[in-house]
Amino acid sequence: MNAQHIIQKEIEKIGSTVILTDGEWSSVPFKAILRPMWRKKSSNFEKRLTELGGGLMEYYQYIGAANHSITDLTEDALLIFNDEKYEFKHRDKVISDNKVLYYTGILRKLKGDDND
């Protein structure tokens, strides 16, 4: 059994059901792991500064199986989990022996006024 298959089985076992959307396209539901990230002063995922006293932003780490590429999506792509929308702030893939093992990213939960 190869590492990619082992990782995918574990994600399916402990992950939550999510959907990716990109424009008019939507993926079939699949399993991914979303883990809340605690705010640290060195954790700045925004390209622009927010207003002083602005609302708290919720960030999550994404871990998804190799069969759902998040690096090929546009900047407007969203992840949907429990009827909530999340935008990707960072996307990457983990590679070993020239083979993608899994995808990882940083998500920001969109608030009501962020949703279009």
Side-chain angles (χ1 to χ4, degrees), residues 40-51:
K40 300 176 187 173
K41 73 177 191 176
S42 62
S43 299
N44 184 6
F45 305 112
E46 298 296 327
K47 293 180 183 176
R48 58 180 163 69
L49 298 175
T50 58
E51 292 181 29

Side-chain angles (χ1 to χ4, degrees), residues 48-105:
R48 58 180 163 69
L49 298 175
T50 58
E51 292 181 29
L52 184 62
L56 178 65
M57 295 183 194
E58 296 179 50
Y59 293 97
Y60 296 82
Q61 180 184 28
Y62 167 91
I63 299 173
N67 59 347
H68 292 282
S69 174
I70 59 171
T71 58
D72 295 335
L73 301 173
T74 68
E75 291 295 317
D76 296 328
L78 298 174
L79 180 134
I80 300 173
F81 167 64
N82 280 348
D83 295 326
E84 298 280 349
K85 293 181 181 179
Y86 300 78
E87 69 177 345
F88 284 95
K89 301 310 285 180
H90 180 75
R91 297 179 269 184
D92 207 352
K93 54 189 166 190
V94 176
I95 299 173
S96 177
D97 294 328
N98 294 324
K99 190 173 190 178
V100 176
L101 296 180
Y102 63 94
Y103 288 92
T104 185

Side-chain angles (χ1 to χ4, degrees), residues 6-20 29-37 59-68 70 79-81 86 88 90 101-107:
I6 293 169
I7 293 168
Q8 183 170 339
K9 293 288 259 181
E10 291 302 312
I11 291 171
E12 289 173 8
K13 189 185 310 180
I14 65 173
S16 301
T17 302
V18 300
I19 296 173
L20 294 172
F30 65 97
K31 298 283 185 158
I33 298 169
L34 298 182
R35 186 176 71 108
M37 298 183 71
Y59 293 97
Y60 296 82
Q61 180 184 28
Y62 167 91
I63 299 173
N67 59 347
H68 292 282
I70 59 171
L79 180 134
I80 300 173
F81 167 64
Y86 300 78
F88 284 95
H90 180 75
L101 296 180
Y102 63 94
Y103 288 92
T104 185
I106 303 297
L107 296 164

